[in-house]
Amino acid sequence: MADDFTFSVEQTFGVLSEGKGGWKTELNLVSWSGRPAKYDIRPWSPDHTKMGKGITLTGEELAALRGILDGMQL
């Protein structure tokens, strides 16, 4: 059985996309179970009570991702 956890969306940076039912994939700063906040990319329900699978990144990992994206030709 999974442990209960808490979360707090401390800051929203932006919406990457919007899906059916108003779910939005967002880049947020989220604190999980009272730990220091990390950058987080995942879909959220309109009221932020439910979430989909996502990825959580430290500041260093986010900076590395930015470097990779900056170097890509899209």
Side-chain angles (χ1 to χ4, degrees), residues 14-62:
V15 174
L16 292 117
S17 65
E18 186 169 347
K20 295 179 181 177
W23 281 62
K24 295 178 183 175
T25 300
E26 302 175 354
L27 172 60
N28 295 317
L29 194 59
V30 180
S31 172
W32 298 100
S33 297
R35 295 188 192 107
K38 293 185 178 182
Y39 298 94
D40 187 82
I41 301 171
R42 74 181 63 243
W44 290 89
S45 65
D47 61 1
H48 276 177
T49 59
K50 296 180 183 177
M51 70 203 75
K53 292 182 181 179
I55 183 170
T56 301
L57 304 164
T58 64
E60 294 81 15
E61 291 168 330
L62 186 65

